[in-house]
C-alpha cells in the first residue's frame, strides 16, 4: 500500500467521525451555568480585596501621604531653606514608583496616586529651588536691569567716540 492510499484512508476515516462522539469538556462549558457569587457590600469588598484594608498594599500608601503633605507644607518655606538633593530624591521616588505600581500584581492604584503626587510636589520644589539659585546668580530683576542699562550706555559711548571703527566692526560681523 502506498503512502498516498494510506493518507486517503486516514482522511476518509476522520471525516466520517461525528463530532458528537466526544463529550464536551469543561473548557467549552458556558460560565452562565455556574452559580453567581453572593453580592458583597462596599465594606466586605474593601476588606477582602487584594489591596484591601488588611494588607500592606493599603496602609503603605496611606502612610506615604504624610510625605506628600510635608512637601506641600514646604511650599510656604523660603526656597533658600529647601534641600535640592532631598527634593530630587522625592521626584525620582515619585516617578519610579508610579510606573512600578502599574507593573506589579496586584495593581495598586492608591499607591500609584500617592507616588504621582509625591513626584509633582518634588518637581514643584526643585523648580522653586532652581529658580531661586538662578536669581541669586543673576541678581534681582532691578540689578539685572541696571547692568543691562550700563552695558547699553557703555556701548553707545564707545560708538560715539569711534564712529568709523564701529561701522567697520558692524560690517565685519
Amino acid at each position: 500500500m502506498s503512502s498516498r492510499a494510506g493518507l486517503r484512508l486516514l482522511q476518509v476515516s476522520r471525516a466520517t467521525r461525528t463530532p458528537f462522539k466526544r463529550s464536551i469538556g469543561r473548557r467549552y462549558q458556558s460560565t452562565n451555568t455556574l452559580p453567581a457569587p453572593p453580592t458583597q457590600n462596599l465594606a466586605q469588598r474593601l476588606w477582602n480585596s487584594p489591596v484591601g484594608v488588611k494588607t500592606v498594599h493599603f496602609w503603605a500608601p496611606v502612610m506615604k501621604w504624610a510625605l506628600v503633605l510635608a512637601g506641600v507644607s514646604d511650599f510656604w518655606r523660603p526656597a533658600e531653606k529647601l534641600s535640592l538633593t532631598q527634593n530630587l530624591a522625592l521626584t525620582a521616588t515619585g516617578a519610579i514608583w508610579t510606573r512600578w505600581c502599574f507593573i506589579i500584581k496586584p495593581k495598586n492604584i492608591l499607591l500609584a496616586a500617592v507616588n504621582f503626587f509625591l513626584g509633582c510636589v518634588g518637581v514643584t520644589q526643585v523648580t522653586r529651588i532652581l529658580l531661586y539659585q538662578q536669581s541669586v546668580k543673576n541678581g534681582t530683576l532691578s540689578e539685572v536691569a541696571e547692568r543691562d542699562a550700563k552695558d547699553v550706555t557703555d556701548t553707545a559711548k564707545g560708538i560715539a567716540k569711534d564712529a568709523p571703527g564701529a561701522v567697520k566692526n558692524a560690517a565685519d560681523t
Side-chain angles (χ1 to χ4, degrees), residues 112-159:
V114 72
N115 283 312
F116 175 76
F117 284 108
L118 186 64
C120 290
V121 166
V123 166
T124 303
Q125 297 292 45
V126 166
T127 304
R128 284 185 59 215
I129 294 167
L130 293 177
L131 288 174
Y132 169 75
Q133 289 176 350
Q134 187 68 24
S135 70
V136 167
K137 184 174 142 182
N138 291 336
T140 62
L141 188 58
S142 60
E143 291 173 358
V144 171
E146 288 174 17
R147 270 195 309 231
D148 289 344
K150 184 178 178 190
D151 289 343
V152 169
T153 55
D154 290 344
T155 304
K157 287 179 185 176
I159 291 172

Side-chain angles (χ1 to χ4, degrees), residues 33-49:
T33 60
L34 298 175
T39 58
Q40 296 179 342
N41 63 20
L42 180 64
Q44 289 173 332
R45 281 185 294 165
L46 186 59
W47 185 258
N48 295 326
S49 170

Side-chain angles (χ1 to χ4, degrees), residues 33-107:
T33 60
L34 298 175
T39 58
Q40 296 179 342
N41 63 20
L42 180 64
Q44 289 173 332
R45 281 185 294 165
L46 186 59
W47 185 258
N48 295 326
S49 170
V51 292
V53 177
K54 61 182 178 181
T55 67
V56 71
H57 301 292
F58 176 81
W59 289 107
V62 167
M63 296 302 154
K64 202 166 190 179
W65 279 106
L67 286 175
V68 175
L69 294 175
V72 169
S73 70
D74 284 345
F75 287 163
W76 290 273
R77 287 181 68 190
E80 65 266 10
K81 303 242 183 200
L82 298 175
S83 168
L84 181 62
T85 54
Q86 178 182 358
N87 284 293
L88 281 172
L90 288 177
T91 303
T93 299
I96 291 167
W97 284 102
T98 299
R99 174 67 182 123
W100 185 250
C101 291
F102 292 113
I103 295 172
I104 61 174
K105 301 257 186 263
K107 286 186 171 77

